[in-house]
Amino acid sequence: MLKPTGQETLGPYYPVRAPTSHDPDLTHFPGRKGHAQGQIIEITGRVLDTSGRPLPQAELVIWQANAAGRYTNPLDKNTAPLDPNFLGVASFGVARDGAFRLRTVKPGAYPEPSGTLRTPHIHFDVTNSDYRLVTQMYFPGEDLNAKDLLLSTLAARRRDPNAAICQPATTSEPGVTAFRWDIILLT
């Protein structure tokens, strides 16, 4: 039996508009020739149930800050620059075996509304038939992980912080850093 991925907050910067892209590649803005600034990363994983069975009907909405730590959401008053070539949000389904692949840039840390810095992370809103999970994925080895408002409190909330942190993976693509993270749904 697999432990389900923990529920988290939608956060202050949930997309105010539906994603305009169903392309799981956020390194380019649809219709523009430029590329997003920052370290290109690839995240692969699978959406599974607690028995380890794939959930091929699962849909993902992801949103994140750009490499400078700024969301495209108009509520984000961070003074970090917006990246005109980074959409910051996408919606896409998983493959028949529950697999997904997200290509993006590593998000930067940013000040959250209470004034503390959030460690780099990516938000996931996962739906499958009658179940919805909103969660956040974090990166290994980040200096801010131990101080992050949400990640640092997972153990106190009876959750395994390690389950929220993706793991390094391999890729044959030069200049791309790869990670793996599976999402386990209660269905």
Side-chain angles (χ1 to χ4, degrees), residues 77-107:
K77 302 302 181 198
N78 185 355
T79 59
L82 283 171
D83 182 343
N85 295 311
F86 184 68
L87 184 59
V89 60
S91 171
F92 52 93
V94 300
R96 188 173 287 184
D97 64 353
F100 67 89
R101 178 181 174 267
L102 172 64
R103 183 180 168 89
T104 186
V105 295
K106 187 170 180 193

Side-chain angles (χ1 to χ4, degrees), residues 138 151-156 158-166:
Y138 301 90
L151 180 59
S152 70
T153 63
L154 288 181
R158 298 189 175 124
R159 298 235 332 267
D160 179 6
N162 293 320
I165 298 173
C166 61

Side-chain angles (χ1 to χ4, degrees), residues 43-99:
I43 300 164
T44 56
R46 294 176 69 202
V47 179
L48 307 167
D49 67 14
T50 55
S51 297
R53 291 184 300 247
L55 297 172
Q57 303 302 316
E59 296 283 331
L60 286 81
V61 175
I62 67 96
W63 67 101
Q64 68 171 86
N66 65 20
R70 176 103 182 255
Y71 285 85
T72 57
N73 187 307
L75 296 176
D76 186 357
K77 302 302 181 198
N78 185 355
T79 59
L82 283 171
D83 182 343
N85 295 311
F86 184 68
L87 184 59
V89 60
S91 171
F92 52 93
V94 300
R96 188 173 287 184
D97 64 353

Side-chain angles (χ1 to χ4, degrees), residues 1-8 44-56 58-60 94 97-100 124-128 131-137 159-160 162-165 180-187:
M1 188 67 106
L2 300 172
K3 285 187 175 181
T5 302
Q7 187 82 16
E8 282 294 340
T44 56
R46 294 176 69 202
V47 179
L48 307 167
D49 67 14
T50 55
S51 297
R53 291 184 300 247
L55 297 172
E59 296 283 331
L60 286 81
V94 300
D97 64 353
F100 67 89
F124 286 77
D125 186 351
V126 188
T127 56
N128 184 65
Y131 189 80
R132 180 181 185 193
L133 170 74
V134 176
T135 194
Q136 296 178 31
M137 183 206 79
R159 298 235 332 267
D160 179 6
N162 293 320
I165 298 173
R180 176 156 182 86
W181 192 59
D182 290 339
I183 301 167
I184 313 303
L185 298 184
L186 283 170
T187 57

